[in-house]
Amino acid sequence: MTIFNIWIDPVAFHFGNTEVRWYAICILTGVLLALWQGIKVGRKIGIFSDFIYLGILICLPVAILGARLWYVLFNLSDFDSIGAAIGINGGFAGLAIQGGVIASLIFLYFYSKKRKVSLYRVFEIVAPGFLIGQILGRWGNFCNHELYGQAIKNVDLFTTILPSFITDNMYIKGAYLLPGLKEGYYHPMFLYESMLNLLGLIVLIFVRKKATKIYQSGDAMGFYLVWYGIVRCITESFRHEGEVLMAGPIRVSILISIIFIIGGLALLILKRFIGPKENYNDVLIEIKENHIDTIIFDLDGTLIDTRQLVIRSYVHTFEKYFQGYILTDEELESFFGPALEVTFRKYETNEEKIKEMIAYYREFNLSHHDEFVSAFRGVNDTLRILTKKGYNIAIVSSKKYDVIKYGLEHTKLDQYFKVIIASEDVKTHKPNPEGIKKALEYFPDYKNALYVGDTPDDIKAGKNANVKTCGVLYSSKVEEVINENPDYLIKNLNDIIKIVCE
């Protein structure tokens, strides 16, 4: 007897008093594989992973509920209470996949509409996921010794062609035998359906990859409905009536499968004449061409919080050089962004005195730096992820190089930046794009860049450099930043990951 020549117990193991069944393990494995492929495809077609994660967290229980209600609907005589129907009394045995599919499709429509994501693109993620889930899920039926067909007539051929771990478990007897059937070998319909769905998945992936001229976003769901409908019609026709859902004399699964086929064909045909038409290959090219590979950051107010230090440094400087002058809140806000010489030149025309003021400002600033400066939440993790994924990153700031370096070392961010463009590296400061363009020279192979900043001048500089722009909503000048219409707005710096890593 080999390790496979055994009768599989539906219960994989016990966790305390709780049974963990192979069926649940198979379903969960299918969900995880479907999620993995969904994330992979989503990156190619511009759907963020957070949309997928949240979607599956909601959709999975919705699908289970739909599968359960569908099963209960056509087996009402077996349930004498609501508790029994929802699985509180007597367990949760009895799920109908087609009900889960229908519930999932309803949810996806409203979820996509709410999140303003193309439903057709979502279909390109979900349809292969359905097939993957059903491929694995049917092996859960196998472990439960269910979903079998008619009795095997040629047992010798059956046991010769298929491995013993399948044939041994298709010898149905005892509690697993439906009324009216005799003990013996039965066709493994789970295997037939699983393999046919695997073939369907391969065909779908092949067509999507090769039929670039005619394949449109959303075609995956049309293909799935047609393919799965045909597969279920075939497998259901061979199953014993005692194991299928019936509506009078009609097999519900076959009826719904026919509706799936008609619906899938209608989707494939009508979507080419009604609604948005989007070539799938064009989407892949567009997303790839627009993929951001270089991120350039402003420093103060974007990566590190220097607000209190800057305010105190200006107040300290004005107290010496403009005694009795009270800075207003509006004036203090205007000091964030421009270089020191630009700010002080508004109040002093003597260049020597301006240099003296800058030196005095920097002396105070440096001596109190560690007391008031810290990195914003999530900055270190964000930069670590970007570095690990191989993105080009740089800093363009109006500060001097030694001050930038000191701030990065203090906040332990210096390890991430090899390219730093400081005030002494440019002739003209932001909103002039000189600094950003100079940083890009260090990345000659870059395709698309993003400049991230917290002031209107940052956004203007990015636009003047013809790169995409991102404003941070934790800026003290958030309204002015929004008014500049940056390409992206983020609440936390780690939101950058959602923009560039998808």
Side-chain angles (χ1 to χ4, degrees), residues 68-69 72 79-89 91-92:
R68 178 62 173 181
L69 292 177
V72 171
F79 301 95
D80 55 7
S81 67
I82 295 177
I86 63 177
I88 296 177
N89 302 327
F92 204 63

Side-chain angles (χ1 to χ4, degrees), residues 49-70:
S49 58
D50 65 333
F51 174 88
I52 300 172
Y53 285 128
L54 179 60
I56 201 165
L57 284 175
I58 302 174
C59 189
L60 186 57
V62 167
I64 294 174
L65 180 61
R68 178 62 173 181
L69 292 177
W70 197 254

Side-chain angles (χ1 to χ4, degrees), residues 138-153:
R138 283 315 187 194
W139 286 90
N141 296 126
F142 165 65
C143 295
N144 278 348
H145 309 289
E146 59 190 5
L147 193 60
Y148 50 85
Q150 300 171 0
I152 299 294
K153 295 180 179 180

Side-chain angles (χ1 to χ4, degrees), residues 150-152 155 158-159 167-168 170-172 183-187:
Q150 300 171 0
I152 299 294
V155 174
F158 176 68
T159 55
T167 58
D168 287 350
M170 282 296 99
Y171 190 86
I172 308 300
E183 180 178 327
Y185 289 98
Y186 287 84
H187 278 285

Side-chain angles (χ1 to χ4, degrees), residues 29 225 289 337 349 394:
T29 302
L225 291 172
E289 288 180 347
T349 58

Side-chain angles (χ1 to χ4, degrees), residues 286-293 391 447-448 500-502:
E286 178 187 353
I287 297 299
K288 187 174 182 180
E289 288 180 347
N290 291 329
H291 175 68
I292 296 168
D293 54 20
Y391 284 86
K447 293 182 179 179
N448 291 288
V500 304
C501 292
E502 306 290 354

Side-chain angles (χ1 to χ4, degrees), residues 12 16 39 44 101 198 278 326 352 371 394 417 422 450 477 490:
I39 297 296
K44 295 180 180 180
V101 171
L198 176 60
E278 186 179 64
I326 305 299
E352 290 302 318
E371 182 181 353
F417 294 99
L450 177 72
K477 299 183 177 182
I490 55 175

